[in-house]
Amino acid sequence: LLMSNSNHNTQDPILNIYNPSALYDPIPYGYSHIAEVKNFSRIIHIAGQGGENIHGVCPVGFYQQLINAFHYIEIALKHRTAQFSDIAILRILIVKHDSQKHQLLIHEMNRIWKDKKFPACTLIPVPCLATTDMLIEIEATAYCA
C-alpha cells in the first residue's frame, strides 16, 4: 500500500507514506510504518507538547490533554507555515497507557489525518512525565518545502 502526501504541488512529493504488504496494516491504529522525506528545504522539530494551557495548568482528564497537545502542535506548525500533513514522525508518550487511552488516540489521529496518510509513529508508555499531572506528551518532526 503506497500513499503519497498530495498537499504539495510537485511531481515528486516531499513526504511519502508507505505501508508494505509484508507488514501488518497499521492504518486501523492511526499510524504508518514508513515516512520517506525527499527534496525538502526545512525541518521543523516540535518539542513534546502536553495538555497544559498557556499558564502551565493541565486539565484533569486524558482526553482533554490529548486534544490540547495536538492543538499546540497545530499552533507550532502554523507559526512556521506548516500543517499536520507535513509531519513525518510522531513520538507519543502516555502515562499509564491502556486500551481506552489508545482508542482515544486512534480517534484523534483519524480526526486529524482524515486521508489516512498517517505519520510514522512511536507510542511509548511511561510511568510519569515532567509534571505529575501530565498524562500525555507528543513530539513531532515535520518536513516542508
Side-chain angles (χ1 to χ4, degrees):
L1 175 63
L2 161 67
M3 298 191 296
S4 297
N5 181 336
S6 60
N7 289 334
H8 302 284
N9 296 323
T10 63
Q11 289 293 83
D12 195 12
I14 291 172
L15 176 61
N16 289 292
I17 301 297
Y18 301 96
N19 289 301
S21 60
L23 299 175
Y24 78 92
D25 183 8
I27 299 300
Y29 302 101
Y31 76 97
S32 296
H33 285 297
I34 302 167
E36 179 184 53
V37 182
K38 306 186 283 189
N39 305 321
F40 62 91
S41 63
R42 298 184 299 138
I43 302 173
I44 301 168
H45 294 280
I46 300 173
Q49 298 297 305
E52 66 274 11
N53 63 23
I54 197 164
H55 306 290
V57 177
C58 278
V60 174
F62 174 81
Y63 188 62
Q64 188 60 52
Q65 288 190 30
L66 169 66
I67 291 170
N68 288 2
F70 275 122
H71 176 67
Y72 302 143
I73 288 171
E74 183 176 31
I75 289 171
L77 288 166
K78 285 181 178 179
H79 183 73
R80 301 309 312 142
T81 318
Q83 55 195 346
F84 281 115
S85 61
D86 296 317
I87 295 174
I89 303 165
L90 288 175
R91 283 156 297 280
I92 302 173
L93 296 90
I94 297 178
V95 174
K96 297 181 183 171
H97 177 265
D98 61 24
S99 62
Q100 181 181 12
K101 290 176 182 173
H102 196 191
Q103 288 306 309
L104 291 170
L105 173 62
I106 292 168
H107 172 78
E108 277 306 292
M109 296 288 289
N110 278 290
R111 185 185 66 76
I112 294 167
W113 283 274
K114 291 175 179 59
D115 60 4
K116 306 290 189 239
K117 296 175 186 171
F118 300 113
C121 181
T122 299
L123 190 157
I124 306 166
V126 295
C128 63
L129 289 165
T131 64
T132 57
D133 51 352
M134 283 180 72
L135 301 174
I136 187 166
E137 187 170 6
I138 304 173
E139 179 183 344
T141 304
Y143 295 81
C144 304

